[in-house]
Amino acid sequence: MIRKTEEFRRMRYANSVMTTYYDGLAGFEKEPCVVIIRDKEIVVEYLRKGRPSTYRGELEGEQYHLHYFPQIEGFVGEAYLSRSEGNLLDGTWNEFENGSRGGGTWDIELNE
């Protein structure tokens, strides 16, 4: 019984798909990502400009509050995700990079 509970708390969705929408721009980007959810924590890993990128966060009420990790000088990223239905997370994101601010919405289809 304990093993099943631990497995439920530590879900790895290695074949997930992240769709990113940018404020003020038409269209979107779809890319693969890995999502790890354990207890009240979430990790989202993907490639950003060809380099591994990670957002980490914790559950606050009904949504996850995430920050870009590790913190890098000149770049700040913050995001929110909520579980909207079954295997779908959605939310907002904001990034500040070398004087430029960007933001939008995103959703992640969770696939094991």
Side-chain angles (χ1 to χ4, degrees):
M1 184 75 167
I2 293 173
R3 172 169 251 157
K4 286 183 181 179
T5 302
E6 288 174 6
E7 289 173 8
F8 178 74
R9 289 184 189 173
R10 294 182 156 191
M11 294 299 297
R12 180 179 172 86
Y13 301 94
N15 298 302
S16 297
V17 178
M18 177 172 64
T19 306
T20 307
Y21 305 89
Y22 297 87
D23 287 344
L25 298 175
F28 56 88
E29 287 183 353
K30 269 191 186 258
E31 55 197 317
C33 68
V34 174
V35 178
I36 301 165
I37 300 174
R38 52 180 106 93
D39 294 324
K40 294 184 178 190
E41 297 177 326
I42 189 169
V43 177
V44 179
E45 300 172 333
Y46 64 101
L47 292 178
R48 177 187 168 84
K49 299 179 183 176
R51 303 177 84 181
S53 293
T54 303
Y55 270 84
R56 289 184 176 192
E58 293 187 16
L59 188 61
E60 295 179 356
E62 296 290 317
Q63 66 182 355
Y64 292 99
H65 184 194
L66 301 92
H67 294 280
Y68 190 80
F69 182 85
Q71 295 194 10
I72 299 170
E73 188 173 330
F75 182 86
V76 176
E78 180 179 41
Y80 292 91
L81 283 171
S82 298
R83 192 166 232 160
S84 59
E85 51 185 71
N87 67 339
L88 188 65
L89 299 172
D90 64 6
T92 60
W93 60 273
N94 289 291
E95 295 178 342
F96 184 77
E97 183 174 19
N98 298 322
S100 296
R101 183 173 299 277
T105 61
W106 62 332
D107 58 60
I108 299 175
E109 181 182 342
L110 299 172
N111 298 308
E112 291 184 39

